[in-house]
Amino acid sequence: MKILESLRESAKKNWAEFQNRARVMVGAATCGRAAGAGEVIEEFKKSLKENGLDEKVEVVETACIGLCYAEPLVEIKREGEPSVLYSNVKPKDVAKLVSEHLVGGNPVAEKAEAVMADEEYRGIKPFKKHPMVELQKRVVLRNCGVIDPENFGHCLARGGYGGFERALSMPPEKVIEEVTASGLRGRGGAGFPTGIKWGFARASKTSPTKYIICNADEGDPGAFMDRSVLEGDPHSVLEGLMIAGYAIGAECAYIYVRSEYPLAIQRLKKAIAQAEEAGLLKRELPNGFKFEIRIKKGSGAFVCGEETALIHSMEGKRGEPTLKPPFPAESGYLGKPTNVNNVETLANIPIILTKGADWFATIGTERSKGTKVFALAGKINNVGLIEVPMGTTLREVIYEIGGGIKGGKKFKAVQTGGPSGGCLTEKHLDTPIDFDNLLSAGSMMGSGGMIVMDEDDCMVSVARFYLDFTVEESCGKCTPCRIGNKRLLELLNKITEGKGTEKDLDTLATLGQVIKDTALCGLGQTSPNPVLSTLDNFYDEYMEHVRDKTCRSKQCKSLLTYTISPERCIGCHLCAKNCPADAISGLVRKPHVIAPDKCIKCGMCMARCKFNAILVC
C-alpha cells in the first residue's frame, strides 16, 4: 500500500541533493547542547556570513552522533568531497574550520575525528573504522546523527514509514506473526517477547476500544538511550506505534514522556504534526485504519516506568503499581485493553517490517535477537551512546568500544540495568551480553544503562547510592519496598560510618532476598540487586568496613583519618585558615597537626595544601 509514494520520490531526490551540498551539521541533541553546541552553531553562522558563504553552506542541527565524550561534534562537507567529523569543537575553533576547510579545502587534521567515507581521506580514518564505531551495528540508531530530525523528507528518504506501508498490506494477525518470528524482546528491562505481548492485546475481548502506550519514562541514573532516539529519530517511534496500533486494533496511542526531556517533547510534537499533515494520522487510510497519537508528560517518578504505575499516572491517579493479573492487555488505561512498549522496542518495529523477521533474527543470540542500545558512562574513556548486537561481550564494550578505563586505572566493576541491576566484575568481562546471561551473572539488561567503575570506587558506597535512589523513588505502596529497603539503607549507612558488624552483613543478604521475593512490582523486586551483587562479588570490602573499620577506596568519610606529614609541611598555615572546624593548629613555618576529635573530614585541607602534606588513611 503506497500511501506516501509521491512524497517519498520527492524526498529521495531532495536527500540526494542534500548529500552532495556543502553543509555544516552540528550534533545538537541535549548532550551536544550541554557541551556548547548552540554557541558553536551561532559562531558558524557568523563566520560563514563573514566569508560570504552563508547562502552556499547550510547549517543543520542533527542529533546525538553517539560519541558523547567528543561533544560538540561538527560534520563539515564541501561539495564534491567527503565530509569530515570534527570533535570537541569550541566557538574559537570555528573561524579556522571555515577558512581552512570550507574556503581552502584543507581539513583541519588535528581536530578531525573521522571522515564520513568508506576509505581514508587525507590521512583521516573512516567513521565506520573508528574504535568506538567499528563493532557497533546501528539498527535503532540508524538515523540518529545522520538526518535532520525535524525534516520529514529526510525521514522518508531513509525509508521512514515503509514498514507501516507494508504492515497495512497484511492482515493484523500476520503483522503480529512477523514481530513474533523476529524474536524481538521488550527493551524496557523485562525482556518479554513483543509479538506475544501484542497477541494478548489483540485477543482481548473486554472492550472494542484499545490503547497503545509508548513508555518514554526513562529514569535510570546514567541512562539516555530513549531520549537520544526521541531527539534523533522521532518518526521511527511514531511508525512503531502506528504498526502496533494496527496490529492490536487500537485507534489511539499515547507517548508517556518525562517532562525533563523538553527537546524530545518538542521534536515529537513536530513529528506528530508532520505525520498528520502527510495524512498518516487522524485520517482514514485506504484500508479503513485511522490512528491518533498524543503526548502525556510524566513528572519524573522512577516507579512510573512500571507499566501499571505509568497507566495510573496517565489517568491522573497516584503513580502506584497494581498486582497482576489483570494485565494491561485485559484492563489497562481507562479499564481498556492496553499494550505498553518502550521507545527502543518500538523503534525496532519499522525495520523488522521493512527488512523482514528473518533478517532481524540473524542478529544476536539464540534467545536474544537483534541489537541493544547502551548508554556507556562512568570511569571510561569513550562515554557515549552505542548499539551492539546481542552477544557482544562486556570486554568488547568496555575495552574496545569504550576505549578502556580513564587514566589507565584498573577496572573494578560495571553496573548494568540501572538501580535494578547488579555490579559485575572482571570475572564477568567475557560474558556475552544478552537477557539470560546477565540474569545468570546476578545483574540484568534493564533499559540499557551501563556505568563503569574503577579501583577508586567503594562498592559499599555504590550499593548505598543505588539503594538511596530506590528508597527515594519508591511509591511506598508495599511493605517490603517501603520498609524493607529503608532498613537495608540504614544498615549500609551504619556500615559506611564504621558502626557495622559482621551480623549486619548476614542481615543484608537475608533481608535483600526477602524483598526480592515479596515486593509488589519490578522496582521493589529488583531493588536489592546492587546490594546482593556487591555482597557476592566484593565481600572482602564489606568485611574491611565492619571488621577493620577501613575503606580501601577512601570514599567513606567516617572511616578516614586525616594527618599532616611533618616532612612535607612547611607551616604555610593555609590549611588552618581554610579548616571550617578549626581542627588544625601549628606555628607559622612549623609543621602543623590535625586534632582527630575536631576533624569533620571535609577534605578542605587537602584541597588547599600546595605541598601534598595532607595524608589520608
Side-chain angles (χ1 to χ4, degrees), residues 256-541:
Y256 184 88
V257 59
R258 297 179 72 81
S259 296
E260 298 93 330
Y261 286 178
L263 182 60
I265 292 170
Q266 171 193 317
R267 289 183 173 167
L268 278 171
K269 285 180 176 178
K270 184 157 189 176
I272 291 170
Q274 290 169 339
E276 289 175 355
E277 187 178 350
L280 294 168
L281 295 173
K282 288 187 175 181
R283 186 179 301 177
E284 190 170 299
L285 298 175
N287 68 345
F289 179 62
K290 185 178 181 181
F291 201 63
E292 181 179 0
I293 299 177
R294 302 168 185 169
I295 293 174
K296 284 271 191 179
K297 295 181 185 179
S299 299
F302 180 64
V303 73
C304 288
E306 195 278 337
E307 59 182 6
T308 59
L310 181 155
I311 289 168
H312 292 148
S313 175
M314 285 180 55
E315 292 171 337
K317 302 172 185 175
R318 184 180 176 88
E320 292 179 335
T322 51
L323 200 61
K324 295 179 278 191
F327 290 91
E330 289 294 320
S331 178
Y333 181 58
L334 302 179
K336 310 299 183 184
T338 303
N339 187 88
V340 183
N341 291 123
N342 94 316
V343 169
E344 187 180 340
T345 306
L346 291 165
N348 272 294
I349 298 298
I351 203 161
I352 290 173
L353 267 294
T354 301
K355 294 195 173 186
D358 292 342
W359 171 84
F360 189 84
T362 62
I363 308 167
T365 64
E366 184 178 352
R367 287 174 48 83
S368 298
K369 302 297 185 183
T371 60
K372 182 71 189 80
V373 180
F374 289 100
L376 200 54
K379 306 287 186 66
I380 194 162
N381 286 310
N382 299 341
V383 171
L385 196 70
I386 66 169
E387 184 175 3
V388 294
M390 294 281 196
T392 304
T393 66
L394 286 168
R395 188 183 301 278
E396 289 172 317
V397 169
I398 293 168
Y399 284 97
E400 295 187 42
I401 296 174
I405 311 304
K406 273 187 177 179
K409 297 274 181 107
K410 182 177 172 56
F411 166 80
K412 190 169 188 177
V414 57
Q415 171 85 3
T416 67
S420 302
C423 294
L424 305 180
T425 66
E426 195 168 14
K427 69 183 179 185
H428 300 110
L429 282 176
D430 293 312
T431 300
I433 299 168
D434 66 16
F435 290 101
D436 303 316
N437 284 333
L438 290 181
L439 280 174
S440 298
S443 188
M444 62 185 296
M445 182 81 72
S447 58
M450 191 176 286
I451 300 178
V452 178
M453 288 159 268
D454 68 11
E455 60 193 81
D456 294 334
D457 286 298
C458 168
M459 301 313 296
V460 185
S461 292
V462 167
R464 183 182 64 172
F465 166 80
Y466 282 111
L467 199 63
D468 184 62
F469 175 86
T470 305
V471 168
E472 181 71 23
E473 293 293 335
S474 171
C475 73
K477 184 175 183 178
C478 74
T479 302
C481 188
R482 182 182 70 250
I483 297 177
N485 279 323
K486 185 70 173 175
R487 298 292 88 84
L488 277 183
L489 182 60
E490 288 170 355
L491 286 170
L492 288 172
N493 284 331
K494 182 181 175 184
I495 291 168
T496 56
E497 289 167 4
K499 301 172 184 176
T501 65
E502 291 186 38
K503 184 180 178 181
D504 291 330
L505 302 188
D506 295 333
T507 306
L508 279 176
T510 303
L511 181 56
Q513 192 59 53
V514 169
I515 296 168
K516 282 179 69 72
D517 293 340
T518 58
L520 174 62
C521 78
L523 183 148
Q525 292 161 8
T526 58
S527 58
N529 283 349
V531 180
L532 297 177
S533 66
T534 51
L535 273 172
D536 286 343
N537 295 314
F538 299 97
Y539 192 77
D540 54 338
E541 278 196 44

Side-chain angles (χ1 to χ4, degrees), residues 512-581:
Q513 192 59 53
V514 169
I515 296 168
K516 282 179 69 72
D517 293 340
T518 58
L520 174 62
C521 78
L523 183 148
Q525 292 161 8
T526 58
S527 58
N529 283 349
V531 180
L532 297 177
S533 66
T534 51
L535 273 172
D536 286 343
N537 295 314
F538 299 97
Y539 192 77
D540 54 338
E541 278 196 44
Y542 279 89
M543 285 297 294
E544 289 172 5
H545 280 68
V546 300
R547 183 185 57 205
D548 305 326
K549 309 302 179 186
T550 60
C551 174
R552 68 172 70 171
S553 303
K554 297 180 173 57
Q555 298 295 314
C556 299
K557 284 173 52 175
S558 297
L559 301 181
L560 303 181
T561 301
Y562 284 79
T563 59
I564 298 177
S565 168
E567 291 80 19
R568 297 180 186 175
C569 180
I570 66 166
C572 69
H573 208 59
L574 193 60
C575 59
K577 287 180 179 178
N578 287 278
C579 177

